[in-house]
């Protein structure tokens, strides 16, 4: 699992443009080119600018082309499925210890099927909520692979890890990690005094509180749940109007997770591999310090 070395807010969220042409290794561009093309083709935006229908002009509405009516119905249906009627409750749900791992068939390169389902669900929801972003499930899978190997490969049928996922305590005792004092009173990360990253996508509690999303429509935004974590990660990466179809903007988004180009290279390499089904080459996975 890659170190989740969250930078201070002034560093992580800085809007300055990074000259990534010189920073991204040539091999990285080659690995991710196919994934970027696939993402562009797959992310078709839902049309929101269909002609407005006047319900008071009955005959004219009845005479409207059937195709236009069907299009409106399709959009309404899609948005209804994706809508969240209320702000989700942010918490970690206590679960029994006798749960078993999901038996969904594994995806590309052995990625757990339940993780694929969660990443693809996030892609579909973001395609409706933020079509400009062009989020792909494989990019989320790249983050999940580096951060926790997809909840260490073991999650139940609802997307909850069999064993809760936590990062190291950020108290300064581990070289290379920042000191981050407690921001949630231990509500999400289970400890006081200092924070630690939580869940399969390794969010700091404060960041989770800001972006928390309900990926499985149960009214709760649980950082340990794969569905919630994947959608929240997508929102976090897309924030600020970034477009994941653009390699430089994608890189800028990934740097929010870990301000390291080696980290970016690893995430993009795994993302491209999940798209192509071809395992990444060792040279595409530089050591993350």
């Amino acid at each position: 699992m890659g170190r989740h070395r969250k930078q201070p807010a002034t560093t992580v969220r800085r809007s300055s443009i990074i000259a990534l042409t010189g920073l991204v290794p040539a091999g990285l561009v080659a690995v991710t080119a196919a994934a970027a093309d696939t993402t562009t083709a797959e992310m078709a935006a839902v049309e929101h600018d269909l002609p407005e229908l006047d319900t008071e002009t009955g005959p004219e509405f009845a005479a409207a082309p059937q195709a236009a009516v069907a299009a409106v119905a399709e959009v309404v249906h899609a948005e209804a499925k994706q809508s969240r009627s209320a702000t989700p409750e942010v918490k970690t749900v206590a679960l029994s210890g006798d749960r078993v791992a999901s038996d969904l068939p594994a995806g590309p390169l052995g990625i757990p099927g339940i993780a694929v389902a969660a990443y693809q669900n996030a892609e579909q929801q973001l395609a409706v909520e933020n079509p400009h972003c062009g989020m792909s499930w494989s990019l989320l899978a790249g983050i999940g692979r580096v951060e926790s190997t997809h909840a260490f490969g073991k999650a139940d049928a609802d997307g909850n890890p069999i064993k809760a996922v936590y990062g190291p305590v950020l108290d300064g005792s581990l070289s290379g990690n920042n000191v981050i004092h407690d921001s949630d009173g231990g509500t999400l990360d289970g400890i006081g005094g200092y924070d630690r990253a939580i869940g399969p996508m390794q969010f700091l509690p404060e960041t989770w509180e800001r972006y928390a999303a309900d990926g499985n429509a149960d009214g709760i935004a649980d950082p340990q749940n794969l569905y919630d974590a994947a959608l929240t990660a997508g929102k976090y990466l897309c924030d600020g109007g970034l477009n994941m179809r653009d390699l430089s903007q994608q890189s800028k988004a990934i740097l929010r997770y870990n301000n390291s180009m080696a980290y970016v290279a690893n995430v993009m390499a795994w993302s491209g591999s999940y798209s192509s089904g071809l395992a990444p080459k060792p040279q595409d996975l530089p050591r993350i310090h």
Side-chain angles (χ1 to χ4, degrees):
M1 169 174 137
R3 291 182 186 175
H4 190 70
R5 301 195 303 166
K6 285 283 190 175
Q7 303 299 312
T10 54
T11 300
V12 173
R13 299 192 182 98
R14 193 175 299 278
S15 60
S16 57
I17 298 194
I18 301 169
L20 287 158
T21 8
L23 292 176
V24 179
L28 170 59
V29 176
V31 168
T32 57
D37 291 342
T38 302
T39 302
T40 304
E42 291 176 348
M43 300 307 300
V46 175
E47 294 292 338
H48 292 278
D49 56 351
L50 294 171
E52 185 174 351
L53 299 178
D54 185 355
T55 55
E56 295 181 358
T57 55
E60 293 161 343
F61 177 78
Q66 291 186 351
V69 176
V72 172
E74 182 178 352
V75 170
V76 171
H77 176 65
E79 293 187 330
K81 289 199 303 179
Q82 306 299 341
S83 67
R84 297 293 181 267
S85 58
T87 301
E89 181 181 2
V90 177
K91 69 176 184 179
T92 296
V93 179
L95 299 169
S96 64
D98 60 353
R99 293 169 296 117
V100 297
S102 167
D103 60 358
L104 285 177
L109 305 180
I111 181 173
I114 188 65
V116 175
Y119 301 141
Q120 291 181 342
N121 178 72
E123 177 193 86
Q124 292 163 8
Q125 290 196 37
L126 288 166
V128 173
E129 297 171 7
N130 187 359
H132 168 77
C133 180
M135 178 58 66
S136 68
W137 77 268
S138 63
L139 176 54
L140 294 172
I143 294 283
R145 173 62 175 76
V146 175
E147 289 295 339
S148 70
T149 321
H150 317 297
F152 302 115
K154 294 183 179 180
D156 64 22
D158 295 320
N160 300 304
I162 299 301
K163 184 177 180 180
V165 180
Y166 295 107
V169 179
L170 299 174
D171 58 2
S173 61
L174 185 62
S175 175
N177 281 329
N178 292 332
V179 174
I180 300 183
H181 293 282
D182 181 57
S183 65
D184 68 330
T187 302
L188 296 175
D189 62 7
I191 59 171
Y194 299 91
D195 275 343
R196 59 179 172 174
I198 45 178
M201 301 302 265
Q202 289 289 275
F203 275 92
L204 289 174
E206 185 177 14
T207 310
W208 181 265
E209 291 275 0
R210 178 178 176 183
Y211 291 94
D214 177 13
N216 56 3
D218 65 353
I220 298 170
D222 183 350
Q224 295 291 343
N225 181 270
L226 274 167
Y227 286 91
D228 295 350
L231 183 57
T232 302
K235 288 179 59 180
Y236 182 49
L237 293 169
C238 293
D239 192 33
L242 295 182
N243 184 344
M244 299 303 107
R245 303 176 188 90
D246 180 88
L247 184 61
S248 64
Q249 293 185 52
Q250 185 182 134
S251 301
K252 181 179 179 181
I254 297 170
L255 284 168
R256 292 171 175 169
Y257 255 92
N258 190 321
N259 195 26
S260 158
M261 286 309 300
Y263 181 88
V264 173
N266 275 259
V267 169
M268 286 188 168
W270 280 109
S271 175
S273 291
Y274 288 134
S275 293
S276 67
L278 301 175
K281 298 176 181 178
Q283 61 266 31
D284 298 322
L285 301 173
R287 182 177 177 81
I288 302 171
H289 297 287

